[in-house]
Amino acid sequence: MTKDILKSTVHASVKMQHISPRKARLVADLIRYKTATKALVILQTTHKKAARIILKLLNSAIANATNNAGLDATQLVISKLLVNDGPTLKRYQPHSRGRAYPILKRTSHFYIELAELNSSFDSFVEEMEKENKTSKESKKEVKKEVKKSVEKQPKKVESAKKTSTKKEVKPKTEKTTSNKKEIKKPEVKKDSTKVTSKTSKKEPVKKAETAKTKEVKKPAKKVEPKVKKETKKGDK
């Protein structure tokens, strides 16, 4: 199918560019399989070193297509874009303790190929769009049918599942121990008459004690008579 769409191809290449291929592939992925006009706009707006290299390469490929092969520049598409590894330049930098720190200066090779689209390309695009629309419509119909089938199912199944999920609670059984025998302690009966008699005796005692405490007064302080100190004749 691609042979019918693409009429003729033109290529251009550049080698030994001082940039690592890993960095250059980031820009190459942006314009691969796009038209030449779109690729020119993308490369002019990307601020990377690889964008300048690929832009020069693309312009030379378009010039080859128009001048040498006589192709239409508006119908050109980037059919192939490769970024391959080139030879690495090894350099060294002095480091601490007399060591040499290696520096790898990588290079890369670029290869681009442009192809002119056939007149049947427009019809091919229209066919692909129709197929996509029909596939989307069929998917929507299938989803609707599935929803209807789910809604028609009885709800008893859900209730049965709910009952099955509940855990069955077994009644607790009292454990009977044959070896251990329960020993009942004899109940001690308290005489109510004795208790009442004790309480009746204690009550008046409390009253008497309270009366004594009221009657008892603090003893008065003894006042000692003042004794005059005898002064000797020699003392002044």
Side-chain angles (χ1 to χ4, degrees):
M1 193 71 184
T2 54
K3 289 180 181 179
D4 298 334
I5 295 166
L6 302 176
K7 206 184 260 189
S8 58
T9 59
V10 178
H11 68 273
S13 64
V14 64
K15 294 182 178 181
M16 291 291 294
Q17 296 298 310
H18 291 281
I19 188 171
S20 64
R22 187 176 179 181
K23 293 176 182 178
R25 285 181 190 125
L26 296 172
V27 181
D29 294 337
L30 296 173
I31 62 168
R32 193 179 280 112
Y33 305 122
K34 289 187 178 180
T35 58
T37 53
K38 284 184 180 179
L40 289 169
V41 173
I42 291 165
L43 292 171
Q44 286 170 1
T45 54
T46 53
H47 301 285
K48 284 185 178 290
K49 183 180 178 180
R52 288 177 285 166
I53 297 164
I54 295 169
L55 182 61
K56 288 180 181 180
L57 185 64
L58 181 60
N59 286 325
S60 67
I62 291 166
N64 291 335
T66 53
N67 297 326
N68 299 336
L71 302 177
D72 188 4
T74 57
Q75 295 293 324
L76 294 174
V77 174
I78 299 167
S79 59
K80 191 183 285 186
L81 181 57
L82 301 175
V83 182
N84 298 321
D85 297 338
T88 57
L89 305 174
K90 294 180 181 180
R91 301 287 183 269
Y92 296 96
Q93 186 179 2
H95 213 263
S96 61
R97 295 189 230 173
R99 289 179 294 179
Y101 183 75
I103 298 170
L104 301 175
K105 295 187 176 183
R106 301 182 187 277
T107 59
S108 55
H109 304 319
F110 293 87
Y111 176 83
I112 193 168
E113 189 174 292
L114 301 177
E116 188 182 14
L117 294 173
N118 199 357
S119 59
S120 62
F121 177 72
D122 295 331
S123 61
F124 173 72
V125 171
E126 289 176 359
E127 288 177 1
M128 292 295 290
E129 287 177 354
K130 286 179 182 178
E131 287 179 0
N132 290 329
K133 285 180 182 179
T134 52
S135 64
K136 287 180 181 178
E137 289 175 357
S138 62
K139 285 180 181 179
K140 287 180 181 179
E141 289 177 358
V142 170
K143 285 181 180 179
K144 286 179 181 179
E145 290 177 358
V146 170
K147 284 182 180 179
K148 287 179 181 179
S149 62
V150 171
E151 288 175 357
K152 287 179 180 179
Q153 286 180 357
K155 294 181 179 180
K156 292 181 180 179
V157 178
E158 294 178 358
S159 61
K161 286 181 180 179
K162 287 179 181 179
T163 54
S164 62
T165 52
K166 289 181 180 179
K167 293 180 180 180
E168 294 180 357
V169 180
K170 294 181 179 180
K172 293 181 180 180
T173 56
E174 294 180 356
K175 294 180 180 180
T176 57
T177 56
S178 59
N179 296 328
K180 293 180 180 181
K181 294 181 180 180
E182 294 180 356
I183 299 167
K184 292 183 180 180
K185 293 181 180 181
E187 294 179 355
V188 179
K189 292 182 179 180
K190 294 180 180 180
D191 294 332
S192 61
T193 56
K194 290 180 180 179
V195 173
T196 53
S197 63
K198 286 179 182 178
T199 53
S200 61
K201 287 179 182 178
K202 285 180 181 178
E203 286 175 356
V205 173
K206 287 180 181 179
K207 289 179 181 178
E209 287 175 0
T210 53
K212 286 179 181 179
T213 53
K214 289 179 181 178
E215 291 176 357
V216 173
K217 294 181 179 179
K218 292 181 180 180
K221 292 181 179 179
K222 292 179 181 180
V223 178
E224 295 179 356
K226 292 181 179 181
V227 179
K228 292 181 179 181
K229 291 181 180 180
E230 294 178 354
T231 57
K232 294 179 180 180
K233 291 179 180 180
D235 296 332
K236 289 181 180 180

